[in-house]
Amino acid sequence: MLEKSVFSSYMKQLISSSIFKSMSKSEIITTLESKSAEIVNYKKNELICKQYEPLDYIGIILEGKVHMTRQCVNTSTMSTYVMGKNDVFGLDIICSDATTSPYAIEVEQSSTVLYIESSKLFFMDKANYKFTSKFNLNLIKVLAEHSVFMTKQMDYIRIMSLKKRICTFLLDNYMINKNKLFIINMTRDQMANYLNATRPAVSRILRELKEQNIIDYYRSSFKILDLETLSNL
């Protein structure tokens, strides 16, 4: 059972996590105690789970980042996405008929993860039914958001032109952030893999867009300078 003192030190992160949306501190504490939650610390590059290994828990990232990757049949590696503070992994597997992880989970930087076993995840405590229902509803919403994210990736891959793919990706980030200046939480390699391309090809097109004063960027920070032109490419 998770000690309150250990849990309380991460309360700020947990309250801001969508898994605990609209739940009070006491409700979060009681929920985690009833589910025998566990906190684990990881060092950079540690492997949390190998691809095709059994996975019977969800992880909530309290600090740091983890990188999800999938090894394709042709031995090339396709990056799925990077997850950061308050993101949740494993929920899609737990809520499906899958018994193993379709991707490997690796620590990108020193991280702290809160785990809840699948057998306890949807456990209904009659004494605390009201806020347990909040927790379960939040789980469903997080799962739906993950489904939308993966669907969007497939939409990008269906676009034949890599330049159009990149422009659409940048425009989507602009729409999500409602700002022409935004951060993309991916390295160039990860962005290329996510868009089903090579890093040199992605870098070349980004450089061309920058030279044409359509966008500007520095590392993971991007700014759209000419929204109309970017939309029409």
Side-chain angles (χ1 to χ4, degrees):
M1 185 174 292
L2 189 63
E3 295 294 332
K4 290 185 181 180
S5 59
V6 175
F7 175 76
S8 296
S9 62
Y10 294 101
M11 183 58 69
K12 183 178 180 180
Q13 293 94 318
L14 290 170
I15 284 180
S16 63
S17 171
S18 53
I19 284 286
F20 301 104
K21 185 178 179 180
S22 301
M23 296 178 68
S24 67
K25 293 180 181 179
S26 60
E27 289 175 343
I28 294 172
I29 290 173
T30 305
T31 296
L32 291 177
E33 287 180 341
S34 69
K35 297 181 183 301
S36 303
E38 179 185 7
I39 289 178
V40 179
N41 294 306
Y42 292 96
K43 296 179 181 178
K44 182 179 179 179
N45 296 329
E46 277 196 76
L47 192 64
I48 293 177
C49 178
K50 293 181 180 179
Q51 187 175 355
Y52 304 127
E53 267 192 348
L55 192 147
D56 59 355
Y57 52 80
I58 68 165
I60 303 169
I61 304 169
L62 303 182
E63 296 285 353
K65 292 180 182 178
V66 303
H67 183 205
M68 324 284 282
T69 59
R70 232 182 85 215
Q71 190 73 30
C72 300
V73 176
N74 63 358
T75 73
S76 63
T77 300
M78 181 181 74
S79 173
T80 307
Y81 48 87
V82 177
M83 306 192 87
K85 186 183 293 185
N86 292 330
D87 284 335
V88 182
F89 62 82
L91 186 58
D92 53 333
I93 300 168
I94 299 304
C95 294
S96 69
D97 290 331
T99 57
T100 61
S101 174
Y103 40 71
I105 308 172
E106 184 178 354
V107 177
E108 188 160 295
Q109 58 182 235
S110 296
S111 301
T112 302
V113 182
L114 174 70
Y115 289 109
I116 302 176
E117 292 183 9
S118 60
S119 60
K120 301 287 185 71
L121 192 60
F122 292 102
F123 173 74
M124 295 294 290
D125 186 349
K126 292 183 179 179
N128 304 303
Y129 176 79
K130 288 186 177 180
F131 59 80
T132 303
S133 296
K134 289 182 190 177
F135 177 76
N136 289 343
L137 180 60
N138 289 338
L139 287 175
I140 294 171
K141 289 181 178 178
V142 169
L143 182 62
E145 289 169 0
H146 172 78
S147 177
V148 170
F149 180 88
M150 298 306 295
T151 299
K152 179 60 68 176
Q153 182 185 27
M154 294 305 300
D155 288 342
Y156 294 138
I157 293 174
R158 291 189 184 101
I159 299 173
M160 296 300 294
S161 165
L162 177 57
K163 188 172 186 177
K164 183 66 175 178
R165 209 178 304 164
I166 292 172
C167 291
T168 303
F169 177 68
L170 294 173
L171 288 167
D172 282 346
N173 275 275
Y174 157 69
M175 293 296 293
I176 291 169
N177 290 279
K178 296 180 173 59
N179 197 318
K180 291 183 180 180
L181 178 63
F182 50 84
I183 301 293
I184 293 179
N185 192 28
M186 295 180 181
T187 66
R188 288 292 183 273
D189 281 330
Q190 292 160 0
M191 184 189 298
N193 286 327
Y194 181 70
L195 296 173
N196 195 32
T198 64
R199 175 174 177 166
V202 170
S203 296
R204 175 178 53 79
I205 291 174
L206 289 175
R207 187 166 55 251
E208 289 175 359
L209 294 173
K210 184 174 183 177
E211 290 171 351
Q212 295 167 7
N213 293 317
I214 297 172
I215 67 168
D216 195 11
Y217 60 85
Y218 178 71
R219 295 183 178 177
S220 60
S221 178
F222 287 79
K223 185 176 183 179
I224 297 177
L225 302 176
D226 189 340
L227 181 60
E228 183 177 356
T229 300
L230 186 66
S231 302
N232 292 325
L233 287 176

